[in-house]
Amino acid sequence: MKLFIKFDINTICSLFLKEKLEEQKINFTTLGFGEIELDENLDVEGLESLKSKLGPFGFEVVENQKSVLVQKIKDAIIELVYMDDNNNFKSSVFLAEKLNHSYGYLSNVFSEVTYSSIENFIILQKIERAKQLMLVNEMSLTEIAFLLNYSSVAHLSTQFKNTTGITPSAFQRIIKKRRENLK
């Protein structure tokens, strides 16, 4: 039997982080997505232990200030892309307001640290979200384009093809074929 499961990445990450911190007997307060405040300072050994527990699962403790800001930018973009209704937000305005910095500054820091642009990261996240929505198969391309704040299905299709190498329709056919082969 094959099941398709819809999930909320923010909830998964928060619950996982909570579980790992509690295993380490670390008391903390969640400040926001990807940001916590420890009730006590960790010694070097405690910090290294925490890093070793989180690392294999793709979690990383960020210590450099610019890297911290870049992580906050990425988290905010993911939050924006996964909002059920992000049509009211322009990404540059959303990021500037959420992170209390000018978009120009955020863009410069992001490019300096990642050697890529905020716009490119947004496109990658939107395409990943579009693929997830297509896998769940509950929305049309028009609905997906609207949800992800694309001006048209053609715009979504162009970015999808440029990012993945195939069109959304081809992606959907591949998924349909794989599902049929698994029956």
Side-chain angles (χ1 to χ4, degrees), residues 28-64:
F28 67 99
T29 304
T30 302
L31 301 176
F33 183 67
E35 186 175 4
I36 60 170
E37 183 173 16
L38 303 182
D39 293 350
E40 301 175 5
N41 288 334
L42 290 179
D43 58 17
V44 174
E45 186 178 302
L47 184 58
E48 289 306 314
S49 174
L50 179 60
K51 287 179 183 179
S52 71
K53 298 288 184 190
L54 298 176
F57 299 97
F59 288 79
E60 179 182 344
V61 175
V62 182
E63 298 176 71
N64 168 303

Side-chain angles (χ1 to χ4, degrees), residues 117-133:
S117 68
I118 287 177
E119 292 79 10
N120 190 48
F121 186 78
I122 291 170
I123 291 167
L124 293 173
Q125 294 308 309
K126 287 169 91 172
I127 297 307
E128 284 305 309
R129 178 76 168 130
K131 290 192 305 190
Q132 288 176 353
L133 292 168

Side-chain angles (χ1 to χ4, degrees), residues 15 45 67-68 116 124 134 148 158 171-172 177 180 182:
L15 290 173
E45 186 178 302
S67 295
V68 168
S116 183
L124 293 173
M134 284 184 245
L148 296 177
T158 300
F171 181 79
Q172 288 174 317
K177 188 76 167 169
E180 289 171 0
L182 290 172

Side-chain angles (χ1 to χ4, degrees), residues 88-148:
N88 298 327
F89 298 105
K90 186 171 180 179
S91 56
S92 58
V93 174
F94 178 80
L95 291 172
E97 288 178 359
K98 181 151 183 84
L99 301 173
N100 297 317
H101 289 287
S102 74
Y103 181 74
Y105 176 73
L106 295 173
S107 181
N108 288 337
V109 170
F110 192 91
S111 297
E112 179 185 325
V113 172
T114 67
Y115 304 105
S116 183
S117 68
I118 287 177
E119 292 79 10
N120 190 48
F121 186 78
I122 291 170
I123 291 167
L124 293 173
Q125 294 308 309
K126 287 169 91 172
I127 297 307
E128 284 305 309
R129 178 76 168 130
K131 290 192 305 190
Q132 288 176 353
L133 292 168
M134 284 184 245
L135 285 170
V136 174
N137 199 22
E138 63 185 36
M139 300 175 86
S140 69
L141 282 179
T142 304
E143 292 169 321
I144 292 171
F146 179 77
L147 177 71
L148 296 177

